[in-house]
Amino acid sequence: MAALRVLVGVKRVIDFAVKVRVAPGGAGVQSQGVKHGLNPFCEIALEEAVRLREAGAAQEVIVVSLGTKASQETLRTALAMGADRAVLAEVAEGVTAGPKEVATALAGLVGRLQPQLVILGKQAIDDDCNQTGQLLAAMLDWPQGTFASRVELDSGSVRVQREVDGGLETLRLRLPAVLTADLRLNEPRYATLPNIMKAKKKPLEVIPAADLGVPGGSPRLKVLQVQEPPPRAGGEKVENVQDLLGKLRQSGRI
Amino acid sequence: MLRAAAAQRLRRAVSVLRRSQSTLVVAEHDNESLTPITLNAITAAKRLGGEVSCLVAGTSCDKVASELSKVQGVAKVLVAQHDVYKGFLAEELTPLIVETHKKFNYTHICAGASAFGKNLIPRVAGKLDVAPVSDIIEIKSPDTFVRTIYAGNIICTVQCDEAVKVFTVRGTSFEAAPVSGGSASVEKLTPPPPVGISEWIEQKLTKSDRPELTSAKVVVSGGRGLKSGENFKLLYDLADQLHAAVGASRAAVDAGFVPNDMQVGQTGKIVAPELYIAVGISGAIQHLAGMKDSKTIVAINKDPEAPIFQVADYGLVADLFQAVPEMTELLKKK
């Protein structure tokens, strides 16, 4: 059990507190000069992996990402949070990689690094896809424990509590398996300054994404247009509860 | 003249294309009844213009299959009943869907964008080696879909060039298909052999007499301003007067006031009721993503600067501990 190796996929995204805008020309969103960070769900995935290692249930935590050179910074943050080493599947600036390309790269890395467990976030807060973990599990023919809010490793299997629409459910998955982290799985730690310094010395390997089977051609999903949603018409303030109920009755809402 | 002829040719080509569409909707159910979001997914599927089939897989399917066969717009109901579908595991359902696709060769495969659909549909896409499209809010043509990104702050139109389009449908963006007037044929499928790499152990569902959150006409939601789980009773009392479902912000869930399945937002449920009443909720981007398509939004908050007032049609700057009980009392009188 102690020989378990965990792979954690992380994504560099625009910081969750930034109000995103469509870039001039409408081809995408403005990302130049905008604060980026680790996708919050990826932080939770990483925290869980580090906790498994600290509890002696896992031996090594490898953090991986598909992205441009800028993603090295994200991987360094992940190393500062406790990952042992990092691998960047690098793509050139301007290459669009969706969940399918990322899952392909991850499947390639699973082949090379031989983890028994892969933990991802349940979704990235930029594309809001919620697909990569499931795609990867399909490609590997591994079981999937999505939207996990509790993870317990057992000999040869993992018990996963999942957040589903009506409440919670529990599954047992045979290892190797893919998990995706939901918000309530844990509370990620902050990277401390000494750990940020230590992280600079940890190994970070760069592999061209093409070497992992990620196709370089035009993706089969094309973004035709991005736009901002129509703004809501400005509302009004009401004086008191009676006034509020009067307005709601008038507009037929109650 | 020339242009008119070209347009006519284009129309004909489009209509030929449409006739050859065929869509498989994976039905979500609990072995007793159909989950409402499936009806919204059927409406989306009908919009594609081709024949719509529904797949019911479960340990007990007869009731749901007969329910589905009456839904308007469904041509065929495919039924796979087997104990292996206990817990609706994606590992077991995926081979069934792939086999069914091989047999009938669909152009589109979809499900509602619920926890069930989000878990299953990308796995199916992975097995078919195609890129899926998540949580679509509009269908422009059989290969062009609209969806939101960045927590609903950006609307994105995508063209999918895959041989089979695999997608999930945002329930609140499509009307529910009528549950009568249909007369679909029902066909039994032979389930493929069990995969056996995952096992369903148990579930703990939150019990409630109130309407289901994602399909309720009125939603009353509470945030950090409620201060405790006990105080949510104020919202339950108000909700009872309005026949409303009760939701919550992430802050209220994280503080342990209410269970997580009540969370409305980017990482919780997306709702678009006729009336959304946000009580003690500041209106973070994350929360707005889950409710800003509501027809009328009411905000009750004592902070006049709270961002929720920027999207609220009616805003009341007041202490919720006074305003909410007063509202409940006034509603009781009429």
Side-chain angles (χ1 to χ4, degrees), chain A residues 218-253:
Chain A
S218 62
R220 283 172 291 179
L221 265 188
K222 280 188 218 111
V223 173
L224 299 184
Q225 191 190 29
V226 296
Q227 58 199 120
E228 280 168 30
R232 281 189 82 94
E236 54 177 312
K237 292 261 168 77
V238 294
E239 287 303 314
N240 52 44
V241 171
Q242 268 176 332
D243 204 10
L244 174 61
L245 289 177
K247 300 265 188 198
L248 290 176
R249 286 206 175 93
Q250 232 171 38
S251 59
R253 291 292 179 225

Side-chain angles (χ1 to χ4, degrees), chain B residues 13 18 32 39 45 81 89-90 125 144 146 152 157-158 169 186 203 208 217 219 221 238 253 260 273 281 316 331:
Chain B
R18 289 215 165 166
E32 275 293 317
L39 297 171
Q81 184 169 312
L89 296 163
T144 310
V146 183
T157 307
V158 291
V169 176
V186 178
Q203 66 179 13
S208 168
K217 288 206 160 38
V219 173
S221 274
L238 175 60
V253 174
N260 63 273
I281 292 176
L316 175 63
L331 285 165

Side-chain angles (χ1 to χ4, degrees), chain A residues 11 13-16 37-46 121 123-126 181-183 186 188, chain B residues 250 266-267:
Chain A
K11 186 178 186 182
V13 297
I14 292 179
D15 187 88
F16 67 91
L38 208 52
N39 177 46
F41 290 100
C42 301
E43 289 184 345
I44 297 168
L46 176 59
Q123 76 188 63
I125 59 162
D126 52 2
D182 214 318
L183 271 179
N186 59 49
Chain B
R250 188 184 154 191
Q266 182 184 21
T267 57

Side-chain angles (χ1 to χ4, degrees), chain B residues 24-43:
Chain B
L24 180 69
V25 179
V26 184
E28 180 179 354
H29 66 100
D30 63 358
N31 290 310
E32 275 293 317
S33 57
L34 199 61
T35 308
I37 197 170
T38 305
L39 297 171
N40 308 97
I42 290 170
T43 298

Side-chain angles (χ1 to χ4, degrees), chain A residues 118-145:
Chain A
V118 178
I119 314 182
L120 309 177
K122 80 161 177 180
Q123 76 188 63
I125 59 162
D126 52 2
D127 61 25
D128 279 336
C129 278
N130 195 333
Q131 298 173 350
T132 306
Q134 297 89 314
L135 285 166
L136 175 65
M139 289 174 186
L140 298 171
D141 261 325
W142 288 7
Q144 63 191 47

Side-chain angles (χ1 to χ4, degrees), chain B residues 12-81:
Chain B
R12 208 175 301 139
V14 168
S15 91
V16 166
L17 212 62
R18 289 215 165 166
R19 248 177 285 142
S20 60
Q21 309 291 327
S22 62
T23 304
L24 180 69
V25 179
V26 184
E28 180 179 354
H29 66 100
D30 63 358
N31 290 310
E32 275 293 317
S33 57
L34 199 61
T35 308
I37 197 170
T38 305
L39 297 171
N40 308 97
I42 290 170
T43 298
K46 285 199 285 194
R47 198 123 334 144
L48 293 162
E51 189 178 279
V52 177
S53 300
C54 282
L55 172 67
V56 186
T59 54
S60 167
C61 301
D62 291 349
K63 267 173 87 173
V64 179
S66 102
E67 206 181 323
L68 259 175
S69 67
K70 297 184 192 91
V71 173
Q72 227 175 73
V74 178
K76 190 152 60 168
V77 179
L78 301 162
V79 181
Q81 184 169 312

Side-chain angles (χ1 to χ4, degrees), chain A residues 158-188:
Chain A
V158 57
R159 202 180 154 96
V160 189
Q161 186 185 64
R162 306 180 56 230
E163 303 210 356
V164 293
D165 288 337
L168 298 165
E169 72 172 21
T170 306
L171 309 179
R172 185 166 29 234
L173 311 177
R174 188 196 291 172
L175 292 178
V178 176
L179 307 179
T180 73
D182 214 318
L183 271 179
R184 270 158 294 274
L185 181 58
N186 59 49
E187 203 160 310

